[in-house]
Amino acid sequence: MAEERLNNAVLHSPDSRAVGKMVEDMNFQAIMRRRAWERRWYNTNWFDDGLHFRVMSKRTGQVIDHVQRNSGFIERAIPRASKQIRGIGALLLTPKYYPVVYPERQTQENFRDKITGQVNTQQYQQAIEQAKEEARKRGIFLQTTWEDELELELKLADMILLTAKNGISYLKVYTDPHTKRVTASVHDAFDVICYGDVREIDDLPFMTFTEPMDFNEVISDERFDEDKRRELSPDNLYATSEIKEAYMRARYGSKLNAENLNTINIRETFIKEYLSDDNWEQAVALGEENGAMEGKSKGDMIMRHPFSAGGVTLLDEYINYDNYPCAELRFESGYLYQVPLMERFIPLNKSQDIAVTRIEKWMNTMVSGIYRVRKGENMIISNIPGGQKVEYE
């Protein structure tokens, strides 16, 4: 498995001037390969919103609403699948989760005198107590971070709903560049660009996290190259995915150009590379500050961490990460992209909801029916508990 993961790393990498273009090319290929999945995620999102019969045409790519709005009655009952996935989420979050740190195992052989063969019992007991104390302190730190700083319980609830609707969700844990504190963020399947035909995240050659950021914040961010910042212009998009962009615009409206309110989509990419003669000097120059080259030799794998927008490289660095700083949540093992849980509920739920809404339509129609009255007749209609009373002369 280790060799398979290394084979997924990038063998040759460009310099900082061209890494933004390389990210665009890799992302374009990944997005094209997941287009069919995006349409399914679009449908499940609309279904969860209560718009059962709104789908995206596979032929034209446009939204089709199967509701007969001309009839004056809109079939829009709350789908049972929405209640079902939230019930599953409530069950999964019923236990009180907390991190557990086990003490480092201590053996008597580490404290045995080589000459006499006797075990120094005092040092052995001290080592055990010290390991317990270290584990206790780490546990307190993790629990405090888990509940107070990261608020992982709320984020897990968000991830469960996203996984139920899209099949997968991501939790990214990283150090905030401004506050220098550990933080976490939840990303849906649209926000993370990667290949979905692998079984483990570690098998991916790259991962890209996309997020719309305030344009003024990006322009004033000192981490990014000053000359490159001048080449940027706001795009005011909700997402890099066209399908998610259409979904967000339908829900929240289009973003308009307004002073100090513009946004731009930033792509933060993690790329696995091999160290070779081609990139050794580049890795030393870009990774020295982060300690990325410590203990590395040619042939080893190293993590590259560029920021880009529209093919423009804003920041290029190597970081001291062996794995991607995120974890995914899936309900089933197998490939990263899989059939969402809600999609399995949709056929049955659509049939049930159609039946319920038509019964409601029939009831409303009978109560507010049409009476044919001859001109000149005195018609009096009164509602009583047993039905309707009609009097006329």
Side-chain angles (χ1 to χ4, degrees), residues 177-200:
H178 302 291
T179 62
K180 306 301 181 183
R181 299 180 67 88
V182 178
T183 184
S185 58
V186 177
H187 299 265
D188 63 16
F190 292 99
D191 294 335
V192 180
I193 303 175
C194 62
Y195 298 137
D197 57 344
V198 299
R199 293 180 175 271
E200 300 293 338

Side-chain angles (χ1 to χ4, degrees), residues 11-75:
L11 183 59
H12 299 290
S13 60
D15 57 19
S16 297
R17 293 173 297 178
V19 69
K21 179 63 167 57
M22 182 184 72
V23 168
E24 289 291 323
D25 293 340
M26 293 190 302
N27 290 347
F28 177 77
Q29 183 184 24
I31 290 176
M32 293 301 295
R33 289 167 60 174
R34 78 174 191 187
R35 271 191 176 275
W37 291 97
E38 289 186 357
R39 297 182 187 277
R40 302 172 76 166
W41 302 337
Y42 180 95
N43 292 337
T44 52
N45 283 343
W46 273 124
F47 192 84
D48 185 56
D49 291 343
L51 304 174
H52 303 36
F53 310 99
R54 179 174 292 189
V55 297
M56 176 166 285
S57 172
K58 295 181 180 179
R59 186 170 58 87
T60 63
Q62 296 180 350
V63 177
I64 300 176
D65 199 334
H66 294 292
V67 174
Q68 299 260 341
R69 296 182 180 275
N70 301 344
S71 63
F73 184 84
I74 300 177
E75 297 175 341

Side-chain angles (χ1 to χ4, degrees), residues 47-48 78-92 160-161 164 331 341-350 352-353:
F47 192 84
D48 185 56
I78 299 176
R80 290 165 52 86
S82 296
K83 302 176 184 178
Q84 290 167 343
I85 63 173
R86 283 160 177 80
I88 293 173
L91 290 175
L92 291 175
I160 289 173
L161 292 179
F331 290 156
L341 179 63
M342 172 169 270
E343 189 174 328
R344 302 185 186 277
F345 295 151
I346 286 179
L348 177 60
N349 278 265
K350 273 193 174 182
Q352 292 176 344
D353 292 332

Side-chain angles (χ1 to χ4, degrees), residues 51-212:
L51 304 174
H52 303 36
F53 310 99
R54 179 174 292 189
V55 297
M56 176 166 285
S57 172
K58 295 181 180 179
R59 186 170 58 87
T60 63
Q62 296 180 350
V63 177
I64 300 176
D65 199 334
H66 294 292
V67 174
Q68 299 260 341
R69 296 182 180 275
N70 301 344
S71 63
F73 184 84
I74 300 177
E75 297 175 341
R76 193 179 291 179
I78 299 176
R80 290 165 52 86
S82 296
K83 302 176 184 178
Q84 290 167 343
I85 63 173
R86 283 160 177 80
I88 293 173
L91 290 175
L92 291 175
L93 293 175
T94 298
K96 182 66 176 179
Y97 298 104
Y98 58 90
V100 176
V101 179
Y102 293 97
E104 184 179 356
R105 186 178 180 182
Q106 304 293 331
T107 61
Q108 294 183 355
E109 295 301 323
N110 296 335
F111 303 92
R112 188 181 299 277
D113 191 283
K114 296 181 180 180
I115 300 177
T116 62
Q118 298 294 325
V119 177
N120 190 327
T121 308
Q122 184 178 0
Q123 292 183 358
Y124 176 59
Q125 293 296 331
Q126 288 178 353
I128 291 178
E129 295 300 325
Q130 184 178 357
K132 289 182 179 179
E133 183 65 17
E134 290 180 357
R136 186 183 69 83
K137 291 179 179 179
R138 290 178 182 177
I140 293 175
F141 169 76
L142 289 177
Q143 187 170 359
T144 303
T145 305
W146 180 291
E147 295 181 354
D148 300 338
E149 297 183 14
L150 301 184
E151 297 181 342
L152 284 185
E153 188 171 354
L154 295 177
K155 289 181 171 59
L156 282 176
D158 189 12
M159 292 180 68
I160 289 173
L161 292 179
L162 290 175
T163 299
K165 290 189 289 185
N166 304 146
I168 189 171
S169 61
Y170 304 87
L171 177 68
K172 179 185 171 189
V173 182
Y174 59 100
T175 303
D176 188 275
H178 302 291
T179 62
K180 306 301 181 183
R181 299 180 67 88
V182 178
T183 184
S185 58
V186 177
H187 299 265
D188 63 16
F190 292 99
D191 294 335
V192 180
I193 303 175
C194 62
Y195 298 137
D197 57 344
V198 299
R199 293 180 175 271
E200 300 293 338
I201 281 185
D202 291 336
D203 297 338
L204 293 169
F206 75 95
M207 291 186 72
T208 298
F209 295 85
T210 63
E211 182 180 5

Side-chain angles (χ1 to χ4, degrees), residues 117 163 258 263 361:
T163 299
T263 62
K361 181 178 180 180

